[in-house]
């Protein structure tokens, strides 16, 4: 085929019809408190990892709920499991269990 | 003449003011243009945040007014005149009422959702308003799509007709956030297998027990809250709808197919009374609602002594706030009638 120099762009859209919600379902079943998130960003604000890298724990778990696991796959291992995020969360979300769950789920799915 | 007042509008605010004034011994005439009293609240099923039946509140107020207050129903007031310290209110059938004071409790209109054409209300089958959904609940009508299917995804859209320069309304309508949370819970209760999404810009849970209901919606009902204003809605061939927004918390555009879209419509000033109020030279704010003389120490007063304003005619309110406002108004009217004018 002739190469016109065009490339198909990756779709940046969160598409609920195409995304994969298996990890979201697994996580919400394992740690239902995750649905209490109000997107305040306290977790990211306090996270030492996030201060030195691209790592953003709020975005990671929000994206998973949207069926988008790419960021989690690339970054979740950077978490040091210190638990500061959980200490600060105003909705009482068990974030260490969420992170543990993300790791478990990614091993399987 | 006895100490007398005319209350225009028999919604929550008007009924409360009329009932309180009658208990204070004032001769009250209440005018409600509809056959049944209660105003908008008469169309609601259960009230936020406790989900108490609206009917309970209205029947309490009816007991306070029925047979105690001289009532004219089924006809609107079309003209109000103020002359030599007397008010005359003319009804559409020519009836003339007179009183030493007058309370305007004429309330609000719902935003006309078809003005947000990009949301498809009135064009697509399965786009409805929060007021219509309330009607379904009230009439025990099941939550279904137009062609009778059980929806598997429902989207609630916040701020329809509010906080939107494009329709000329910069203000927040205050009660639609909590109405949306309440209705999301009710849809989930009716259809446990249905996924419910709320698209919001901010969730304004300003009053007592509101934030708690939001928490409950997340915890016990699994309602999904997505921060992003609906950009557009389009219809598929099978009459499902595609909603497009940004998920601002992840910074990505988002699209989703849903079976039913519920638009949380806001408050707008009641248009039928514009001319009547203009003639009285009452002052309105930039939002078009009536402006009181002093927002702190005279928030039921107008530039005309003896003419009072109460309830949603001054802008968005909850029923609890309309009741409190109307009680305060009743005291203002009472002290006016007993002052040396
Ligand atoms: C979808 C929705 C759901 C809501 N749910 C709740 C809830 O659960 N809990 C809550 O606290 N609040 C709720 N509200 C808010 C509630 O509707 C208002 O607080 C309340 O209706 C205000 O009462 P009002 O008497 O000031 O105005 P209105 O209800 O508008 O009453 C005004 C009355 O005046 C009459 N009138 C107007 N002009 C004339 C005229 N010229 N002559 C004679 N009569 C006239 C009208 O017919 C009407 O009966 C909801 C609002 C919306 C939009
Ligand atoms: S537990 Fe992980 S995500 Fe949470 S603050 Fe520590 S490093 Fe950040
Ligand atoms: S601190 Fe808790 S509520 Fe706030 S964004 Fe993080 S997980 Fe969500
Ligand atoms: S109460 Fe909520 S939905 Fe209504 S206008 Fe204000 S922010 Fe928007």
């Amino acid at each position: 085929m002739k190469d016109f120099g065009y490339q198909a762009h990756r779709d940046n859209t969160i598409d609920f019809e195409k995304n994969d919600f298996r990890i979201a379902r697994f996580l919400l079943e394992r740690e239902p408190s995750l649905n209490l998130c109000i997107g305040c960003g306290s977790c990211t604000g306090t996270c030492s990892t996030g201060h030195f890298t691209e790592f953003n724990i709020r975005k990671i778990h929000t994206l998973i709920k949207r069926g988008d696991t790419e960021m989690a796959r690339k970054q979740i291992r950077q978490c040091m499991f210190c638990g500061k995020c959980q200490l600060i969360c105003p909705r009482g979300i068990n974030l260490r269990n969420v992170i543990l769950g993300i790791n478990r789920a990614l091993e399987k799915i | 003449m006895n100490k007398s007042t005319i209350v225009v509008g028999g919604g929550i605010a008007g009924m409360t003011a009329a009932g309180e004034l009658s208990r204070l011994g004032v001769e009250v005439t209440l005018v409600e243009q509809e056959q049944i009293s209660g105003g908008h609240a008469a169309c609601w099923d259960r009230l936020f945040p406790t989900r108490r039946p609206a009917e309970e509140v209205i029947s309490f107020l009816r007991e306070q007014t029925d047979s105690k207050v001289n009532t004219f129903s089924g006809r609107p007031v079309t003209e109000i005149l103020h002359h030599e310290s007397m008010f005359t209110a003319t009804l559409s059938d020519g009836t003339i009422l007179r009183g030493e004071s007058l309370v305007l409790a004429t309330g609000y209109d719902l935003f006309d959702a078809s003005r947000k054409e990009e949301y498809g209300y009135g064009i697509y089958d399965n786009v409805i308003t929060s007021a219509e959904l309330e009607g379904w609940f009230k009439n025990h009508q099941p939550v279904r799509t137009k062609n009778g299917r059980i929806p598997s995804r429902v989207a609630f859209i916040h701020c329809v007709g509010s906080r939107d320069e494009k329709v000329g309304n910069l203000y927040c309508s205050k009660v639609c956030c909590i109405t949306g949370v309440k209705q999301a819970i009710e849809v989930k209760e009716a259809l446990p297998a249905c996924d419910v999404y709320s698209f919001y810009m901010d969730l304004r849970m300003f009053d007592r027990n509101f934030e708690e209901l939001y928490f409950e919606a997340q915890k016990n009902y699994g309602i999904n809250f997505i921060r992003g204003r609906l950009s557009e809605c389009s219809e598929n061939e099978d009459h499902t709808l595609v909603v497009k927004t940004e998920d601002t918390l992840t910074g990505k555009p988002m699209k989703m197919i849903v079976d039913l879209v519920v638009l949380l419509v806001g408050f707008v000033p009641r248009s039928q009374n514009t001319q009547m109020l203009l003639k009285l030279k009452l002052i309105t704010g930039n939002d078009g609602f009536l402006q009181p003389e002093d927002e702190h120490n005279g928030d039921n007063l107008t530039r005309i002594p003896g003419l009072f304003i109460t309830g949603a005619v001054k802008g968005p309110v909850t029923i609890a706030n309309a009741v409190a406002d109307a009680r305060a108004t009743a005291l203002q009217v009472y002290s006016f009638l007993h002052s040396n004018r």
Side-chain angles (χ1 to χ4, degrees):
Chain A
M1 216 169 72
K2 187 138 176 78
D3 181 5
F4 290 102
Y6 300 127
Q7 280 175 301
H9 278 285
R10 236 186 98 258
D11 193 347
N12 185 39
T13 307
I14 296 175
D15 185 340
F16 269 66
E17 295 356 282
K18 290 192 189 143
N19 283 5
D20 182 353
F21 290 91
R22 283 175 301 171
I23 294 186
R25 275 194 294 269
F26 171 84
L27 266 187
L28 285 165
E29 230 163 79
R30 183 191 160 105
E31 190 46 64
S33 69
L34 181 58
N35 204 47
L36 299 177
C37 179
I38 50 174
C40 71
S42 302
C43 47
T44 294
T46 195
C47 171
S48 314
T49 309
H51 282 198
F52 299 104
T53 66
E54 297 275 284
F55 183 81
N56 182 326
I57 186 60
R58 177 189 60 73
K59 257 194 185 172
I60 288 175
H61 65 66
T62 310
L63 279 165
I64 287 177
K65 283 199 283 182
R66 309 291 184 251
D68 183 339
T69 56
E70 193 186 316
M71 192 181 243
R73 274 178 212 285
K74 283 192 186 146
Q75 299 185 350
I76 199 67
R77 293 266 169 211
Q78 294 178 29
C79 163
M80 302 176 291
F81 224 60
C82 67
K84 276 170 81 186
C85 51
Q86 178 166 342
L87 279 175
I88 211 159
C89 174
R91 287 297 230 203
I93 299 171
N94 188 339
L95 278 159
R96 278 177 25 125
N97 199 29
V98 168
I99 296 161
L100 200 61
I102 296 174
N103 278 305
R104 289 278 147 76
L106 288 176
E107 280 160 19
K108 285 187 202 148
I109 304 173
Chain B
M1 199 171 179
N2 278 333
K3 308 288 181 198
S4 63
T5 195
I6 304 168
V7 178
V8 184
I12 296 291
M15 288 172 90
T16 304
E20 293 291 326
L21 281 162
S22 144
R23 284 204 302 151
L24 291 167
V26 174
E27 191 185 298
V28 184
T29 308
L30 174 64
V31 189
E32 167 53 50
Q33 62 186 352
E34 304 294 337
Q35 289 297 349
I36 49 164
S37 52
H40 282 97
C43 308
W44 312 149
D45 182 35
R46 283 173 291 171
L47 303 178
F48 59 71
T50 55
R51 295 202 281 148
R52 163 190 203 186
E55 204 47 48
E56 270 180 31
V57 178
I58 296 171
S59 25
F60 173 86
L61 294 176
R62 285 195 185 127
E63 272 169 40
Q64 309 292 303
T65 47
D66 284 0
S67 75
K68 293 177 183 130
V69 166
N70 186 18
T71 305
F72 289 80
S73 54
R75 289 154 287 175
V77 170
T78 51
E79 190 172 50
I80 296 168
L81 292 174
H82 181 232
H83 185 63
E84 290 180 352
S85 303
M86 284 299 285
F87 290 90
T88 32
T90 310
L91 310 193
S92 59
D93 64 353
T95 308
I96 291 176
L97 306 170
R98 285 165 60 78
E100 290 161 274
S101 58
L102 187 139
V103 179
L104 268 177
T106 46
Y108 66 102
D109 275 338
L110 295 170
F111 174 75
D112 171 9
S114 63
R115 285 184 59 206
K116 285 298 286 178
E117 209 174 336
E118 62 272 37
Y119 293 176
Y121 178 75
I123 306 170
Y124 306 142
D125 279 358
N126 294 309
V127 180
I128 64 168
T129 67
S130 47
E132 283 168 306
L133 183 62
E134 238 0 88
W136 292 7
F137 291 143
K138 195 171 168 86
N139 301 324
H140 306 289
Q141 209 176 312
V143 177
R144 294 289 182 274
T145 63
K146 182 95 175 256
N147 56 15
R149 276 187 311 109
I150 296 176
S152 55
R153 269 193 206 149
V154 174
F156 283 86
I157 311 300
H158 286 242
C159 303
V160 178
S162 313
R163 306 179 67 195
D164 185 358
E165 193 261 350
K166 290 288 179 287
V167 297
N169 299 337
L170 281 183
Y171 55 87
C172 162
S173 286
K174 263 165 82 175
V175 309
C176 14
C177 267
I178 184 68
T179 299
V181 168
K182 184 206 72 147
Q183 293 187 333
I185 288 177
E186 288 169 334
V187 166
K188 189 73 183 174
E189 265 175 353
L191 308 169
C194 177
D195 288 326
V196 182
Y197 296 87
S198 291
F199 293 92
Y200 68 95
M201 298 200 281
D202 301 287
L203 285 169
R204 298 189 162 172
M205 299 293 146
F206 65 93
D207 222 338
R208 196 169 182 197
N209 296 323
F210 286 13
E211 185 71 18
E212 287 86 338
L213 194 69
Y214 167 35
F215 186 84
E216 204 184 314
Q218 290 179 308
K219 187 169 195 288
N220 301 341
Y221 297 89
I223 310 296
N224 305 289
F225 291 90
I226 297 177
R227 185 170 177 278
R229 183 189 186 91
L230 180 65
S231 304
E232 56 181 299
C233 184
S234 50
E235 195 180 48
N236 289 320
E237 223 170 316
D238 63 357
H239 300 284
T240 57
L241 300 148
V242 182
V243 292
K244 284 189 186 162
T245 150
E246 185 196 354
D247 177 22
T248 60
L249 292 176
T250 62
K252 283 173 180 256
M254 171 187 276
K255 64 180 176 193
M256 179 192 292
I257 296 179
V258 302
D259 302 294
L260 189 67
V261 167
V262 182
L263 305 177
L264 294 162
V265 285
F267 286 45
V268 293
R270 199 180 270 269
S271 59
Q272 72 174 101
N273 296 324
T274 309
Q275 285 309 316
M276 179 169 91
L277 301 185
L278 264 180
K279 275 191 195 158
L280 288 166
K281 298 197 172 67
L282 295 180
I283 297 158
T284 53
N286 289 335
D287 54 11
F289 292 100
L290 288 183
Q291 186 73 43
E293 273 294 278
D294 176 328
E295 74 201 83
H296 299 110
N297 299 320
D299 76 337
N300 303 113
L301 309 182
T302 64
R303 58 165 212 92
I304 303 173
L307 198 155
F308 300 85
I309 52 179
T310 197
V313 75
K314 293 186 292 178
V317 275
T318 64
I319 288 173
N321 289 350
V323 166
D325 190 32
R327 289 213 186 109
T329 308
L331 274 186
Q332 296 283 317
V333 175
Y334 183 83
S335 45
F336 169 81
L337 290 172
H338 288 82
S339 61
N340 301 318
R341 278 169 280 148

